[in-house]
Amino acid sequence: MDDLEHYTLDKLIDVGSLQDIQDKYSKLTNLSTITVNRNGVPLIKPSNFSKFCNLIRTSKEGYRRCINCDAMGGIKSSKLKKPIIYRCHTGLTDFSAPIIVNNVHIGSMLCGQVSIKENDTRNSINLKKISKELYLPLDKLETALKEINIVAYEKIKNSADFMYMFANLIAKMGVANITHSKLLQETKEKMKFQQLARDIQIKSIQSQINPHFLFNTLNTMASMSLLESSNNTVELIYALSDILRYSLRNSDKMVNISIEIDNIKKYLYIQSVRFKDKLSYKINISDNVLNCKIPAMTLQPIVENAVIHGIEPKKEFGKVYIDSETVAGNYVIFKIQDNGVGIEAAKLRSLKDKMNSSSRDDSNISIGIQIVQDRIKYYFGAQYGIDIKSSPNVGTTVYIKIPLVH
Protein backbone atom coordinates (compact mmCIF):
# COMPACT_ATOMS: atom_id res chain seq x y z
CA MET A 1 0.00 0.00 0.00
CA ASP A 2 1.68 3.18 -1.27
CA ASP A 3 0.38 5.50 1.43
CA LEU A 4 0.89 3.13 4.36
CA GLU A 5 3.41 5.49 5.96
CA HIS A 6 0.60 8.02 6.44
CA TYR A 7 -1.46 5.59 8.52
CA THR A 8 -1.16 5.59 12.29
CA LEU A 9 -1.30 2.41 14.32
CA ASP A 10 -4.77 3.19 15.69
CA LYS A 11 -6.08 3.42 12.11
CA LEU A 12 -4.80 -0.06 11.30
CA ILE A 13 -5.77 -1.82 14.53
CA ASP A 14 -8.96 -1.67 16.59
CA VAL A 15 -7.76 -0.01 19.80
CA GLY A 16 -10.31 -1.68 22.06
CA SER A 17 -9.41 -5.14 20.80
CA LEU A 18 -5.69 -4.41 21.11
CA GLN A 19 -6.15 -3.28 24.73
CA ASP A 20 -8.01 -6.50 25.50
CA ILE A 21 -5.30 -8.63 23.90
CA GLN A 22 -2.50 -6.72 25.62
CA ASP A 23 -4.17 -7.03 29.04
CA LYS A 24 -4.68 -10.78 28.67
CA TYR A 25 -1.16 -11.30 27.32
CA SER A 26 0.27 -9.41 30.29
CA LYS A 27 -1.82 -11.45 32.72
CA LEU A 28 -0.69 -14.68 31.08
CA THR A 29 3.03 -13.88 31.09
CA ASN A 30 3.09 -11.68 34.23
CA LEU A 31 5.15 -9.17 32.24
CA SER A 32 4.61 -5.43 32.00
CA THR A 33 3.35 -4.63 28.49
CA ILE A 34 2.78 -1.47 26.46
CA THR A 35 1.99 -0.75 22.82
CA VAL A 36 3.49 2.38 21.26
CA ASN A 37 3.49 4.11 17.89
CA ARG A 38 6.62 4.49 15.76
CA ASN A 39 7.70 7.47 17.91
CA GLY A 40 7.50 5.55 21.18
CA VAL A 41 4.30 7.28 22.39
CA PRO A 42 1.86 4.88 24.14
CA LEU A 43 -1.24 4.10 22.08
CA ILE A 44 -3.26 2.41 24.80
CA LYS A 45 -3.07 2.05 28.58
CA PRO A 46 -0.07 0.06 29.84
CA SER A 47 -0.73 -3.35 31.36
CA ASN A 48 0.74 -4.57 34.66
CA PHE A 49 3.41 -1.85 34.85
CA SER A 50 5.91 -2.24 37.68
CA LYS A 51 5.85 0.16 40.61
CA PHE A 52 9.43 1.14 39.75
CA CYS A 53 8.65 2.14 36.16
CA ASN A 54 5.45 3.93 37.13
CA LEU A 55 7.52 5.94 39.59
CA ILE A 56 10.15 6.77 36.93
CA ARG A 57 7.41 8.04 34.60
CA THR A 58 6.03 10.45 37.22
CA SER A 59 9.13 12.55 36.52
CA LYS A 60 8.89 14.70 33.38
CA GLU A 61 12.49 13.88 32.49
CA GLY A 62 11.98 10.23 33.38
CA TYR A 63 8.94 10.02 31.11
CA ARG A 64 10.90 11.63 28.27
CA ARG A 65 13.69 9.09 28.66
CA CYS A 66 11.21 6.21 28.72
CA ILE A 67 9.55 7.43 25.51
CA ASN A 68 12.95 7.79 23.80
CA CYS A 69 14.03 4.37 25.03
CA ASP A 70 10.81 2.75 23.78
CA ALA A 71 11.19 4.46 20.40
CA MET A 72 14.83 3.37 20.04
CA GLY A 73 13.95 -0.21 20.98
CA GLY A 74 11.21 -0.23 18.35
CA ILE A 75 13.46 1.27 15.66
CA LYS A 76 16.28 -1.19 16.35
CA SER A 77 13.98 -4.22 16.32
CA SER A 78 12.33 -2.86 13.16
CA LYS A 79 15.70 -2.63 11.36
CA LEU A 80 16.50 -6.20 12.35
CA LYS A 81 12.92 -7.29 11.54
CA LYS A 82 12.76 -9.41 14.68
CA PRO A 83 12.27 -8.99 18.44
CA ILE A 84 15.22 -7.73 20.47
CA ILE A 85 16.04 -7.93 24.15
CA TYR A 86 17.82 -4.91 25.61
CA ARG A 87 18.53 -2.86 28.75
CA CYS A 88 16.37 0.25 29.26
CA HIS A 89 17.79 3.60 30.38
CA THR A 90 17.41 2.67 34.05
CA GLY A 91 19.12 -0.73 33.67
CA LEU A 92 16.12 -3.08 33.62
CA THR A 93 15.59 -5.69 30.88
CA ASP A 94 12.93 -5.05 28.22
CA PHE A 95 12.13 -6.51 24.83
CA SER A 96 10.62 -4.94 21.75
CA ALA A 97 8.50 -6.69 19.14
CA PRO A 98 8.13 -4.48 16.06
CA ILE A 99 4.88 -4.18 14.14
CA ILE A 100 5.95 -4.14 10.49
CA VAL A 101 3.54 -4.02 7.57
CA ASN A 102 4.76 -4.00 3.96
CA ASN A 103 8.25 -3.15 5.24
CA VAL A 104 6.93 -0.08 7.10
CA HIS A 105 7.49 0.18 10.86
CA ILE A 106 4.20 1.44 12.32
CA GLY A 107 4.74 0.72 16.02
CA SER A 108 5.98 -1.74 18.62
CA MET A 109 4.78 -3.90 21.46
CA LEU A 110 7.11 -3.68 24.44
CA CYS A 111 7.40 -5.96 27.45
CA GLY A 112 9.69 -6.50 30.36
CA GLN A 113 10.60 -4.23 33.27
CA VAL A 114 12.37 -7.22 34.81
CA SER A 115 15.80 -8.45 35.76
CA ILE A 116 17.21 -11.58 34.07
CA LYS A 117 17.53 -14.50 36.49
CA GLU A 118 20.84 -15.67 35.04
CA ASN A 119 22.38 -12.19 35.34
CA ASP A 120 20.58 -10.13 38.00
CA THR A 121 21.69 -6.53 37.39
CA ARG A 122 19.63 -4.74 40.04
CA ASN A 123 22.67 -4.07 42.21
CA SER A 124 24.40 -2.30 39.32
CA ILE A 125 21.57 0.23 38.90
CA ASN A 126 22.72 3.63 40.19
CA LEU A 127 19.66 4.70 42.13
CA LYS A 128 21.38 7.75 43.60
CA LYS A 129 22.10 9.09 40.13
CA ILE A 130 18.55 8.37 38.98
CA SER A 131 17.16 10.05 42.09
CA LYS A 132 19.26 13.16 41.53
CA GLU A 133 18.61 13.48 37.79
CA LEU A 134 14.88 12.76 37.93
CA TYR A 135 14.15 14.47 41.27
CA LEU A 136 12.65 11.31 42.76
CA PRO A 137 12.91 10.16 46.40
CA LEU A 138 15.73 7.64 46.81
CA ASP A 139 13.87 5.58 49.42
CA LYS A 140 10.87 5.12 47.11
CA LEU A 141 13.14 4.06 44.26
CA GLU A 142 14.89 1.51 46.49
CA THR A 143 11.58 0.04 47.70
CA ALA A 144 10.15 -0.16 44.20
CA LEU A 145 13.28 -1.79 42.76
CA LYS A 146 13.08 -4.62 45.31
CA GLU A 147 9.69 -5.60 43.85
CA ILE A 148 10.99 -5.99 40.28
CA ASN A 149 10.34 -9.50 38.89
CA ILE A 150 13.26 -11.87 38.30
CA VAL A 151 12.63 -13.83 35.10
CA ALA A 152 14.51 -16.60 33.28
CA TYR A 153 16.01 -15.57 29.95
CA GLU A 154 14.25 -18.41 28.10
CA LYS A 155 10.85 -17.08 29.17
CA ILE A 156 11.72 -13.61 27.88
CA LYS A 157 12.86 -15.03 24.54
CA ASN A 158 9.75 -17.17 24.06
CA SER A 159 7.45 -14.32 25.07
CA ALA A 160 9.14 -11.99 22.59
CA ASP A 161 8.76 -14.45 19.72
CA PHE A 162 5.08 -15.04 20.47
CA MET A 163 4.21 -11.36 20.80
CA TYR A 164 6.02 -10.51 17.55
CA MET A 165 3.91 -12.96 15.62
CA PHE A 166 0.69 -11.94 17.36
CA ALA A 167 1.22 -8.17 16.96
CA ASN A 168 1.90 -8.48 13.25
CA LEU A 169 -1.10 -10.73 12.71
CA ILE A 170 -3.37 -7.98 14.05
CA ALA A 171 -1.64 -5.37 11.91
CA LYS A 172 -2.06 -7.50 8.78
CA MET A 173 -5.75 -7.88 9.57
CA GLY A 174 -6.12 -4.10 9.77
CA VAL A 175 -4.31 -3.50 6.49
CA ALA A 176 -6.35 -6.23 4.80
CA ASN A 177 -9.54 -4.47 5.88
CA ILE A 178 -8.34 -1.14 4.48
CA THR A 179 -7.33 -2.76 1.19
CA HIS A 180 -10.64 -4.57 1.01
CA SER A 181 -12.70 -1.40 1.56
CA LYS A 182 -10.73 0.64 -0.97
CA LEU A 183 -10.93 -1.95 -3.72
CA LEU A 184 -14.65 -2.55 -3.25
CA GLN A 185 -15.27 1.20 -3.54
CA GLU A 186 -13.21 1.38 -6.72
CA THR A 187 -15.08 -1.52 -8.32
CA LYS A 188 -18.37 0.30 -7.97
CA GLU A 189 -17.04 2.78 -10.54
CA LYS A 190 -14.86 0.44 -12.59
CA MET A 191 -16.60 -2.84 -13.31
CA LYS A 192 -13.63 -4.15 -15.28
CA PHE A 193 -11.82 -4.63 -11.92
CA GLN A 194 -14.59 -6.83 -10.51
CA GLN A 195 -12.53 -10.03 -10.60
CA LEU A 196 -9.54 -8.30 -9.01
CA ALA A 197 -11.74 -7.05 -6.18
CA ARG A 198 -13.01 -10.57 -5.58
CA ASP A 199 -9.45 -11.92 -5.34
CA ILE A 200 -8.47 -9.24 -2.85
CA GLN A 201 -11.67 -9.75 -0.89
CA ILE A 202 -10.90 -13.43 -0.54
CA LYS A 203 -7.43 -12.68 0.83
CA SER A 204 -8.80 -9.99 3.13
CA ILE A 205 -11.45 -12.15 4.76
CA GLN A 206 -9.15 -15.15 4.85
CA SER A 207 -6.50 -13.26 6.83
CA GLN A 208 -8.91 -12.59 9.68
CA ILE A 209 -9.04 -14.88 12.67
CA ASN A 210 -12.23 -14.58 14.70
CA PRO A 211 -11.40 -12.21 17.62
CA HIS A 212 -13.99 -14.05 19.72
CA PHE A 213 -11.89 -17.20 19.44
CA LEU A 214 -8.59 -15.39 20.13
CA PHE A 215 -9.84 -13.52 23.19
CA ASN A 216 -11.48 -16.56 24.76
CA THR A 217 -8.38 -18.66 24.10
CA LEU A 218 -6.11 -16.10 25.76
CA ASN A 219 -8.53 -15.89 28.66
CA THR A 220 -8.50 -19.66 29.02
CA MET A 221 -4.68 -19.72 29.00
CA ALA A 222 -4.49 -16.95 31.58
CA SER A 223 -6.86 -18.82 33.90
CA MET A 224 -5.04 -22.12 33.48
CA SER A 225 -1.66 -20.59 34.25
CA LEU A 226 -2.93 -19.74 37.73
CA LEU A 227 -4.17 -23.26 38.44
CA GLU A 228 -1.43 -25.55 37.16
CA SER A 229 2.28 -25.92 36.62
CA SER A 230 1.94 -24.60 33.04
CA ASN A 231 2.41 -27.70 30.85
CA ASN A 232 -1.11 -27.55 29.40
CA THR A 233 -0.82 -23.80 29.04
CA VAL A 234 2.29 -24.21 26.93
CA GLU A 235 0.47 -26.70 24.69
CA LEU A 236 -2.35 -24.19 24.22
CA ILE A 237 0.10 -21.43 23.29
CA TYR A 238 1.87 -23.66 20.78
CA ALA A 239 -1.45 -24.72 19.21
CA LEU A 240 -2.63 -21.12 18.90
CA SER A 241 0.73 -20.05 17.48
CA ASP A 242 0.59 -22.77 14.83
CA ILE A 243 -2.93 -21.73 13.82
CA LEU A 244 -1.89 -18.10 13.43
CA ARG A 245 1.22 -19.01 11.44
CA TYR A 246 -0.84 -21.29 9.18
CA SER A 247 -3.37 -18.56 8.39
CA LEU A 248 -0.65 -16.03 7.56
CA ARG A 249 1.74 -18.20 5.57
CA ASN A 250 -0.86 -20.02 3.49
CA SER A 251 -3.52 -17.35 2.90
CA ASP A 252 -3.36 -17.60 -0.91
CA LYS A 253 -2.01 -21.12 -1.33
CA MET A 254 -3.20 -24.63 -2.08
CA VAL A 255 -2.13 -27.01 0.67
CA ASN A 256 -2.34 -30.73 1.31
CA ILE A 257 -5.62 -31.72 2.93
CA SER A 258 -3.55 -33.33 5.69
CA ILE A 259 -2.16 -29.90 6.62
CA GLU A 260 -5.63 -28.34 6.71
CA ILE A 261 -6.85 -31.18 8.94
CA ASP A 262 -3.86 -30.79 11.31
CA ASN A 263 -4.76 -27.12 11.69
CA ILE A 264 -8.39 -28.01 12.46
CA LYS A 265 -7.26 -30.53 15.08
CA LYS A 266 -5.34 -27.77 16.87
CA TYR A 267 -8.33 -25.45 16.71
CA LEU A 268 -10.67 -28.11 18.14
CA TYR A 269 -8.12 -29.01 20.82
CA ILE A 270 -8.09 -25.39 22.01
CA GLN A 271 -11.88 -25.19 21.99
CA SER A 272 -12.25 -28.50 23.84
CA VAL A 273 -9.98 -27.15 26.61
CA ARG A 274 -11.96 -23.92 26.71
CA PHE A 275 -15.36 -25.69 26.91
CA LYS A 276 -13.98 -28.37 29.24
CA ASP A 277 -16.61 -31.17 29.40
CA LYS A 278 -19.03 -29.50 26.96
CA LEU A 279 -17.34 -30.35 23.64
CA SER A 280 -15.98 -33.49 21.99
CA TYR A 281 -14.92 -34.07 18.41
CA LYS A 282 -14.03 -36.89 16.02
CA ILE A 283 -12.18 -36.61 12.70
CA ASN A 284 -12.20 -39.47 10.20
CA ILE A 285 -10.64 -38.51 6.87
CA SER A 286 -9.82 -41.17 4.26
CA ASP A 287 -6.11 -41.76 3.79
CA ASN A 288 -6.43 -41.58 0.00
CA VAL A 289 -7.38 -37.88 0.09
CA LEU A 290 -4.84 -36.59 2.62
CA ASN A 291 -2.21 -35.85 -0.02
CA CYS A 292 -4.68 -34.08 -2.32
CA LYS A 293 -4.80 -30.30 -2.53
CA ILE A 294 -7.30 -27.83 -1.09
CA PRO A 295 -7.29 -24.01 -0.80
CA ALA A 296 -5.97 -23.19 2.68
CA MET A 297 -8.63 -22.24 5.23
CA THR A 298 -11.49 -23.91 3.32
CA LEU A 299 -12.66 -26.29 6.04
CA GLN A 300 -11.55 -24.17 9.03
CA PRO A 301 -14.32 -21.48 8.81
CA ILE A 302 -17.01 -24.18 8.60
CA VAL A 303 -15.65 -25.97 11.68
CA GLU A 304 -15.45 -22.63 13.50
CA ASN A 305 -19.10 -21.92 12.65
CA ALA A 306 -20.07 -25.32 14.02
CA VAL A 307 -18.42 -24.56 17.36
CA ILE A 308 -19.34 -20.89 17.80
CA HIS A 309 -22.82 -20.79 16.26
CA GLY A 310 -23.84 -24.40 16.86
CA ILE A 311 -22.25 -25.72 20.06
CA GLU A 312 -21.54 -22.57 22.11
CA PRO A 313 -25.20 -21.45 22.44
CA LYS A 314 -26.20 -25.01 23.39
CA LYS A 315 -26.54 -25.79 27.10
CA GLU A 316 -26.00 -29.53 26.72
CA PHE A 317 -22.96 -31.50 25.61
CA GLY A 318 -21.79 -30.72 22.08
CA LYS A 319 -20.17 -32.90 19.43
CA VAL A 320 -18.46 -32.15 16.12
CA TYR A 321 -17.84 -34.86 13.52
CA ILE A 322 -15.68 -34.44 10.41
CA ASP A 323 -15.42 -37.16 7.79
CA SER A 324 -14.97 -37.60 4.05
CA GLU A 325 -16.37 -39.70 1.22
CA THR A 326 -14.62 -40.22 -2.12
CA VAL A 327 -16.94 -40.53 -5.11
CA ALA A 328 -15.88 -42.42 -8.26
CA GLY A 329 -12.26 -41.48 -7.59
CA ASN A 330 -12.95 -38.00 -9.01
CA TYR A 331 -14.05 -35.85 -6.12
CA VAL A 332 -14.45 -35.86 -2.34
CA ILE A 333 -17.30 -34.71 -0.12
CA PHE A 334 -16.36 -33.51 3.34
CA LYS A 335 -19.09 -33.66 5.96
CA ILE A 336 -18.86 -31.36 9.00
CA GLN A 337 -21.63 -32.20 11.42
CA ASP A 338 -22.57 -30.80 14.83
CA ASN A 339 -25.39 -31.49 17.27
CA GLY A 340 -25.78 -27.81 18.12
CA VAL A 341 -28.79 -25.49 18.19
CA GLY A 342 -29.40 -25.81 14.45
CA ILE A 343 -30.85 -23.23 12.05
CA GLU A 344 -34.50 -22.26 11.55
CA ALA A 345 -35.92 -23.13 8.12
CA ALA A 346 -36.44 -19.53 7.02
CA LYS A 347 -32.97 -18.51 8.15
CA LEU A 348 -31.43 -21.53 6.40
CA ARG A 349 -33.16 -20.60 3.12
CA SER A 350 -31.87 -17.04 3.45
CA LEU A 351 -28.38 -18.31 4.21
CA LYS A 352 -28.36 -20.54 1.13
CA ASP A 353 -29.58 -17.67 -1.05
CA LYS A 354 -26.83 -15.36 0.24
CA MET A 355 -24.26 -18.13 -0.07
CA ASN A 356 -24.75 -18.10 -3.83
CA SER A 357 -25.20 -14.35 -4.15
CA SER A 358 -22.65 -11.71 -5.15
CA SER A 359 -23.88 -9.39 -2.37
CA ARG A 360 -22.39 -9.61 1.09
CA ASP A 361 -24.15 -10.14 4.43
CA ASP A 362 -22.81 -8.53 7.61
CA SER A 363 -23.17 -11.61 9.84
CA ASN A 364 -20.01 -13.60 10.54
CA ILE A 365 -21.62 -16.95 9.71
CA SER A 366 -22.99 -15.76 6.36
CA ILE A 367 -19.90 -13.99 5.13
CA GLY A 368 -17.65 -16.87 6.20
CA ILE A 369 -19.69 -19.43 4.24
CA GLN A 370 -20.02 -17.07 1.28
CA ILE A 371 -16.27 -16.65 1.04
CA VAL A 372 -15.61 -20.40 1.26
CA GLN A 373 -18.24 -20.97 -1.44
CA ASP A 374 -16.68 -18.28 -3.66
CA ARG A 375 -13.20 -19.69 -3.25
CA ILE A 376 -14.22 -23.27 -4.10
CA LYS A 377 -16.00 -22.14 -7.28
CA TYR A 378 -13.13 -19.78 -8.11
CA TYR A 379 -10.55 -22.57 -7.90
CA PHE A 380 -12.56 -25.56 -9.17
CA GLY A 381 -15.68 -24.42 -11.02
CA ALA A 382 -19.44 -24.02 -10.56
CA GLN A 383 -20.09 -27.77 -10.10
CA TYR A 384 -18.31 -27.73 -6.74
CA GLY A 385 -19.21 -25.98 -3.50
CA ILE A 386 -21.21 -26.15 -0.27
CA ASP A 387 -24.60 -27.55 0.75
CA ILE A 388 -26.17 -27.19 4.18
CA LYS A 389 -28.80 -29.23 6.04
CA SER A 390 -30.01 -28.22 9.48
CA SER A 391 -32.81 -28.76 11.98
CA PRO A 392 -33.49 -26.57 15.05
CA ASN A 393 -32.37 -28.22 18.30
CA VAL A 394 -30.94 -31.17 16.32
CA GLY A 395 -27.87 -29.79 14.60
CA THR A 396 -26.30 -28.78 11.31
CA THR A 397 -24.42 -30.68 8.62
CA VAL A 398 -22.32 -28.90 5.99
CA TYR A 399 -21.27 -30.79 2.86
CA ILE A 400 -18.22 -29.50 0.96
CA LYS A 401 -17.60 -30.96 -2.51
CA ILE A 402 -14.20 -30.50 -4.18
CA PRO A 403 -12.30 -32.42 -6.89
CA LEU A 404 -9.39 -34.69 -6.06
CA VAL A 405 -6.39 -32.60 -7.09
CA HIS A 406 -2.85 -33.92 -6.59
Side-chain angles (χ1 to χ4, degrees):
M1 188 179 300
D2 293 337
D3 58 349
L4 185 60
E5 292 186 3
H6 300 295
Y7 281 96
T8 56
L9 188 55
D10 58 332
K11 295 289 182 63
L12 297 176
I13 303 174
D14 177 71
V15 174
S17 298
L18 182 57
Q19 183 75 64
D20 195 8
I21 291 170
Q22 178 184 284
D23 290 343
K24 286 182 171 63
Y25 176 87
S26 182
K27 183 177 180 180
L28 171 66
T29 61
N30 197 31
L31 293 172
S32 304
T33 312
I34 190 170
T35 304
V36 300
N37 64 19
R38 58 172 62 95
N39 298 316
V41 178
L43 179 65
I44 55 178
K45 296 179 181 178
S47 304
N48 196 29
F49 254 38
S50 68
K51 184 184 294 185
F52 181 81
C53 292
N54 277 328
L55 179 59
I56 294 293
R57 290 186 178 227
T58 61
S59 160
K60 184 176 180 179
E61 173 61 17
Y63 182 80
R64 186 191 68 79
R65 293 182 184 183
C66 287
I67 295 296
N68 288 341
C69 187
D70 289 346
M72 292 304 297
I75 291 171
K76 186 174 180 180
S77 60
S78 171
K79 289 181 178 179
L80 296 174
K81 290 184 169 55
K82 65 179 183 179
I84 63 165
I85 300 171
Y86 63 97
R87 298 274 291 277
C88 77
H89 68 97
T90 66
L92 295 178
T93 296
D94 287 339
F95 68 83
S96 172
I99 301 174
I100 304 171
V101 180
N102 294 353
N103 293 318
V104 177
H105 175 222
I106 60 172
S108 305
M109 299 189 78
L110 306 159
C111 283
Q113 301 181 2
V114 298
S115 185
I116 298 296
K117 182 178 181 181
E118 292 84 348
N119 183 27
D120 192 349
T121 57
R122 286 179 298 172
N123 292 333
S124 65
I125 296 176
N126 192 337
L127 291 181
K128 291 183 178 179
K129 181 181 179 183
I130 293 174
S131 174
K132 181 179 179 180
E133 292 178 351
L134 304 185
Y135 302 101
L136 294 172
L138 180 59
D139 58 335
K140 290 187 177 182
L141 287 170
E142 291 173 340
T143 300
L145 185 61
K146 291 178 182 178
E147 298 181 16
I148 288 294
N149 287 339
I150 311 298
V151 179
Y153 178 80
E154 187 66 18
K155 179 179 179 179
I156 290 291
K157 185 178 181 298
N158 290 338
S159 298
D161 290 341
F162 183 69
M163 175 162 278
Y164 176 55
M165 176 200 66
F166 202 58
N168 280 282
L169 170 71
I170 301 171
K172 288 177 185 292
M173 289 168 61
V175 172
N177 286 332
I178 293 173
T179 304
H180 172 62
S181 298
K182 284 189 172 184
L183 284 173
L184 285 185
Q185 183 62 35
E186 289 174 5
T187 54
K188 291 179 181 179
E189 303 172 359
K190 301 177 181 180
M191 294 301 293
K192 65 180 179 179
F193 293 126
Q194 185 174 11
Q195 187 59 54
L196 174 62
R198 177 161 294 226
D199 293 347
I200 297 298
Q201 182 189 51
I202 288 170
K203 293 179 182 179
S204 171
I205 299 299
Q206 190 182 12
S207 70
Q208 300 179 41
I209 300 296
N210 191 335
H212 176 85
F213 166 57
L214 290 176
F215 298 158
N216 279 299
T217 300
L218 285 174
N219 205 15
T220 300
M221 289 191 288
S223 299
M224 288 180 63
S225 65
L226 299 175
L227 299 175
E228 57 178 37
S229 62
S230 82
N231 289 337
N232 289 340
T233 305
V234 170
E235 289 185 18
L236 276 174
I237 293 175
Y238 284 157
L240 178 57
S241 298
D242 289 343
I243 289 174
L244 300 181
R245 288 191 187 96
Y246 176 75
S247 67
L248 286 177
R249 293 177 180 176
N250 301 293
S251 63
D252 58 351
K253 296 178 181 178
M254 297 276 285
V255 299
N256 283 355
I257 290 173
S258 61
I259 296 176
E260 178 87 350
I261 294 300
D262 284 344
N263 188 63
I264 289 171
K265 287 179 180 178
K266 290 168 184 174
Y267 171 82
L268 288 172
Y269 163 69
I270 291 173
Q271 291 290 38
S272 67
V273 173
R274 176 187 160 217
F275 285 108
K276 296 181 180 177
D277 58 351
K278 187 180 176 181
L279 172 66
S280 70
Y281 60 91
K282 185 176 181 180
I283 300 175
N284 183 26
I285 303 298
S286 303
D287 291 340
N288 64 318
V289 305
L290 290 177
N291 290 326
C292 295
K293 299 292 184 180
I294 192 172
M297 300 294 287
T298 294
L299 304 180
Q300 167 81 21
I302 308 302
V303 175
E304 189 170 343
N305 279 343
V307 174
I308 293 175
H309 300 289
I311 303 301
E312 186 168 353
K314 180 184 175 74
K315 293 182 180 180
E316 297 83 11
F317 188 81
K319 300 178 181 178
V320 175
Y321 299 100
I322 304 171
D323 58 29
S324 66
E325 178 184 357
T326 304
V327 180
N330 296 321
Y331 62 89
V332 59
I333 297 177
F334 293 97
K335 183 171 71 173
I336 299 173
Q337 182 178 17
D338 68 72
N339 67 337
V341 295
I343 306 173
E344 297 287 344
K347 186 174 181 181
L348 180 60
R349 284 194 299 271
S350 175
L351 177 60
K352 287 186 176 182
D353 289 341
K354 291 170 182 175
M355 185 173 69
N356 296 300
S357 170
S358 59
S359 62
R360 286 290 173 254
D361 188 276
D362 290 335
S363 66
N364 288 335
I365 184 172
S366 293
I367 197 167
I369 291 176
Q370 281 178 298
I371 292 301
V372 173
Q373 179 82 314
D374 283 351
R375 296 180 72 231
I376 292 174
K377 294 185 181 300
Y378 175 78
Y379 278 99
F380 303 125
Q383 68 270 40
Y384 300 101
I386 298 173
D387 188 27
I388 306 173
K389 294 182 180 180
S390 185
S391 299
N393 302 316
V394 176
T396 301
T397 303
V398 178
Y399 300 90
I400 304 172
K401 177 183 176 183
I402 66 169
L404 290 173
V405 178
H406 293 275

